[in-house]
Amino acid sequence: MKQLVIISGKGGTGKTTITAAIASMAENAIIADCDVDAPNLHLVLEPEIIETSDFYGMDIAHIDTEKCTGCNVCIENCNFDAIHTDHSINSCKCEGCGVCEYVCPENAIKMINNPSGSVFDSMTRYGPMVHAELMIGEEASGKLVTAVKEHAVSLANEKEAELIICDGPPGTGCPVIAAITGADLALIVTEPSLSGIHDLERIIQVTDHFRIPAIVCINKYNINEGNTKQIESSCEENGIMVAGKLPYDTVPNKAMIGKKTIIEYEDNEFSEKLRNIWRTVRSELCEGQ
Ligand code: SF4
Ligand code: SF4
């Protein structure tokens, strides 16, 4: 079983639109939405939830008022100002570091599980999908991405799926690292804007660092052909294949409005280019065997 992760560095490059299109072309695959801070793959794939599991992010401190003598040692040692003078915890400020539990002379503080989201095992018209929801204001999205991937791997083993397709988060931080961990190939979707070029360089450093093979797709390449050439040269210098270029077009928006992937929306030049990109991705995945 192979793992493909679609990432972008910069948000808004068309990563999720391309992921949805790939999901509609792949066979025997598990789809995983690892963009847990702002998931939107479900808008197109309309998954039907089969099973929901609670997700526990960071632990938070809890003070047993029966045991507390009011010595204030915990307040003095909390670097996050998360303990009120009445010795209750401000759950929005508690970072779960556990220092208060360690320093309390009365053993009055315990770290407790904090439910902070849900993981969903679902079914779409293109096969099983794992996705998640993080409660408002909650953190630990990297840990939630790992939970989504673990569900996807277990589902892939159960269904004997050949591929896991992960829609990765934008950026280069912890959730991205969690999403690319274990991937056989990263498809990086970029665009020829200045921030697109900058963030492409950064995400390539990340995939390089973690030795994840990467290929690039340039979306909206004709909005700035000079910048597109720059991206192509930079990819060539770094030994990274450009799997394909997609023009600026209204097709993705029209497909999205109709809650369809670009492939199921209609056969046209744009969808043919996407089919070619998928052929290249599939062949790169097979080559890595
Ligand atoms: S350190 Fe323990 S005993 Fe002292 S105020 Fe905090 S909870 Fe109470
Ligand atoms: S766990 Fe850390 S952040 Fe939370 S209240 Fe205790 S010392 Fe403060």
Side-chain angles (χ1 to χ4, degrees), residues 114-146:
N114 179 35
S116 49
S118 307
V119 179
F120 308 110
D121 288 0
S122 299
M123 185 53 80
T124 73
R125 59 194 181 280
Y126 295 115
M129 172 171 172
V130 183
H131 49 124
E133 187 174 73
L134 199 58
M135 287 176 186
I136 291 168
E138 290 295 341
E139 295 181 39
S141 51
K143 202 173 163 188
L144 182 53
V145 170
T146 302

Side-chain angles (χ1 to χ4, degrees), residues 63 67-75 87 100 103-109:
I63 296 181
K67 288 186 181 172
C68 174
T69 57
C71 69
N72 290 343
V73 168
C74 54
I75 296 176
H87 307 110
C100 53
V103 297
C104 174
E106 304 299 331
N107 203 21
I109 304 181

Side-chain angles (χ1 to χ4, degrees), residues 61 77-80 82-83 89 93-100 111:
N77 283 277
C78 176
N79 278 335
F80 300 95
I83 307 175
I89 301 290
K93 286 188 168 181
C94 177
E95 287 287 324
C97 67
V99 165
C100 53
M111 302 305 294

Side-chain angles (χ1 to χ4, degrees), residues 51-285:
E51 200 176 323
T52 302
S53 322
D54 288 335
F55 166 70
Y56 296 92
M58 284 183 313
D59 290 350
I60 60 165
H62 172 77
I63 296 181
D64 182 344
T65 48
E66 299 273 300
K67 288 186 181 172
C68 174
T69 57
C71 69
N72 290 343
V73 168
C74 54
I75 296 176
E76 287 156 17
N77 283 277
C78 176
N79 278 335
F80 300 95
D81 200 19
I83 307 175
H84 296 129
T85 48
D86 65 357
H87 307 110
S88 60
I89 301 290
N90 181 335
S91 59
C92 293
K93 286 188 168 181
C94 177
E95 287 287 324
C97 67
V99 165
C100 53
E101 182 186 37
Y102 181 75
V103 297
C104 174
E106 304 299 331
N107 203 21
I109 304 181
K110 288 274 169 287
M111 302 305 294
I112 56 165
N113 281 338
N114 179 35
S116 49
S118 307
V119 179
F120 308 110
D121 288 0
S122 299
M123 185 53 80
T124 73
R125 59 194 181 280
Y126 295 115
M129 172 171 172
V130 183
H131 49 124
E133 187 174 73
L134 199 58
M135 287 176 186
I136 291 168
E138 290 295 341
E139 295 181 39
S141 51
K143 202 173 163 188
L144 182 53
V145 170
T146 302
V148 168
K149 288 198 68 179
E150 283 171 357
H151 274 245
V153 169
S154 134
L155 210 52
N157 287 332
E158 185 192 314
K159 310 259 181 210
E160 296 184 356
E162 286 165 18
L163 180 65
I164 295 176
I165 302 165
C166 295
D167 184 17
T172 53
C174 176
V176 175
I177 292 165
I180 66 172
T181 299
D184 297 284
L185 183 68
L187 173 63
I188 304 174
V189 181
T190 188
E191 63 176 27
S193 61
L194 287 182
S195 55
I197 292 172
H198 174 260
D199 292 349
L200 174 64
E201 284 165 5
R202 280 158 44 94
I203 194 67
I204 286 174
Q205 284 171 10
V206 176
T207 50
D208 255 11
H209 180 82
F210 290 99
R211 300 204 174 110
I212 307 292
I215 58 177
V216 164
C217 163
I218 308 174
N219 196 13
K220 299 174 256 181
Y221 78 89
N222 49 350
I223 60 170
N224 189 326
E225 304 220 15
N227 282 349
T228 293
K229 282 203 172 66
Q230 193 181 324
I231 292 172
E232 288 173 304
S233 308
S234 158
C235 286
E236 199 178 336
E237 276 164 29
N238 286 289
I240 293 175
M241 176 202 285
V242 175
K245 298 190 288 185
L246 296 166
Y248 177 80
D249 204 302
T250 53
V251 167
N253 285 347
K254 287 178 183 162
M256 188 75 75
I257 290 165
K259 294 188 176 180
K260 290 181 173 169
T261 74
I262 290 167
I263 301 301
E264 63 189 337
Y265 175 66
E266 66 179 18
D267 276 334
N268 53 32
E269 209 181 316
F270 195 95
S271 61
E272 191 47 39
K273 284 181 192 299
L274 256 173
R275 285 184 199 281
N276 285 336
I277 290 171
W278 169 233
R279 282 182 201 110
T280 306
V281 167
R282 207 174 40 191
S283 123
E284 285 299 298
L285 279 167

